[in-house]
């Protein structure tokens, strides 16, 4: 490149910088100073390929995996852990027999509130049912799961669409409202 080309490039660059800097008005700078004065701070720690094992009395109860786990600590407010690429949790009974699972495309764990919210393509699987929803909340204090609506399928092919779903942590029972669906009856119905 010759000196004339370099000189032309420098002039274009200086013109671009002058145009860009002059487009910032005093109002914009005042807004930036106000934001800076509030010292809005957010700390985010990212971990990749996270596996967590939960045990009680030296017995494994659950294993969870998240491809991405972000621990977020706002300067003001409560800490939370976010799993933007989803989560898979497997539950275990005696002799490490798998008793169920929860998967979702996104999850957030709010530490202070002791709530975990699973969102987008949430699937809960146990031996006696599969529950499909777009949002499921686990309340650690109440030891229950809640969902505004979803579809519960049984192994025999019956299903129910319902709202206000709730279940204990082990999904041994379920309750819901305004249900509709299909069920199958076994046995001889003739008198």
């Amino acid at each position: 490149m010759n000196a004339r080309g370099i000189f032309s490039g420098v002039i274009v660059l200086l013109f671009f910088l002058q145009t860009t800097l002059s487009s910032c008005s005093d109002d914009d700078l005042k807004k930036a100073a106000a934001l800076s004065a509030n010292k809005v701070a957010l700390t985010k720690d990212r971990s990749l390929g996270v596996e967590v094992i939960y045990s009680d009395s030296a017995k494994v109860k659950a294993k969870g995996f998240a491809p991405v786990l972000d621990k977020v600590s706002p300067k003001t407010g409560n800490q939370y852990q976010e799993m933007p690429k989803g989560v898979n949790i497997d539950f275990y009974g005696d002799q490490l027999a798998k008793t169920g699972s929860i998967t979702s495309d996104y999850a957030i764990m709010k530490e202070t509130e002791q709530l975990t919210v699973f969102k987008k393509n949430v699937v809960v699987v146990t031996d006696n049912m599969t529950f499909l929803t777009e949002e499921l909340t686990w309340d650690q204090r109440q030891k229950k799961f809640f969902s505004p609506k979803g579809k519960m399928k049984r192994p025999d092919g019956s299903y129910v669409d319902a709202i206000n779903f709730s279940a204990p942590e082990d999904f041994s029972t379920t309750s819901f409202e305004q249900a509709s669906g299909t069920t199958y009856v076994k046995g001889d119905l003739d008198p």
Side-chain angles (χ1 to χ4, degrees):
M1 180 180 262
N2 61 23
R4 187 173 174 200
I6 293 172
F7 181 66
S8 298
V10 169
I11 289 177
V12 169
L13 179 63
L14 288 174
F15 176 75
F16 175 76
L17 286 174
Q18 179 186 12
T19 306
T20 303
L21 292 174
S22 66
S23 68
C24 293
S25 67
D26 288 338
D27 288 338
D28 292 338
L29 294 175
K30 288 177 186 173
K31 288 177 187 174
L35 285 174
S36 178
N38 288 335
K39 297 192 183 331
V40 175
L42 182 71
T43 304
K44 188 178 198 181
D45 295 323
R46 175 165 276 190
S47 299
L48 302 175
V50 176
E51 184 174 77
V52 176
I53 298 174
Y54 170 74
S55 63
D56 185 15
S57 302
K59 293 182 180 180
V60 173
K61 297 291 184 181
K63 289 183 184 179
F65 176 78
V68 176
L69 176 71
D70 293 331
K71 184 172 184 174
V72 182
S73 303
K75 183 166 184 159
T76 57
N78 300 322
Q79 291 184 354
Y80 59 92
Q81 293 181 21
E82 187 174 36
M83 292 145 270
K85 300 287 184 181
V87 65
N88 180 31
I89 302 170
D90 292 327
F91 299 100
Y92 296 93
D94 296 333
Q95 286 83 33
L96 284 178
K98 186 175 169 184
T99 60
S101 66
I102 297 177
T103 58
S104 68
D105 291 346
Y106 171 87
I108 184 168
M109 190 169 104
K110 301 174 183 179
E111 295 174 15
T112 304
E113 296 93 340
Q114 293 187 1
L115 295 173
T116 302
V117 181
F118 303 92
K119 292 187 176 185
K120 300 179 191 166
N121 301 314
V122 182
V123 179
V124 178
V125 178
T126 68
D127 290 340
N128 57 1
M129 68 129 196
T130 299
F131 183 69
L132 310 165
T133 185
E134 287 301 306
E135 183 176 324
L136 181 70
T137 301
W138 175 41
D139 186 326
Q140 289 175 280
R141 290 182 182 141
Q142 294 185 37
K143 298 186 178 197
K144 285 185 130 183
F145 285 93
F146 300 94
S147 178
K149 65 179 181 177
K151 177 181 260 185
M152 186 171 53
K153 297 179 179 180
R154 299 279 182 195
D156 66 359
S158 63
Y159 69 90
V160 68
D161 286 306
I163 64 170
N164 298 329
F165 170 88
S166 67
E169 286 180 329
D170 63 357
F171 289 96
S172 58
T173 61
T174 57
S175 65
F176 42 82
E177 298 174 5
Q178 297 180 13
S180 64
T182 301
T183 188
Y184 299 98
V185 178
K186 291 182 183 179
D188 188 11
L189 296 178
D190 292 331

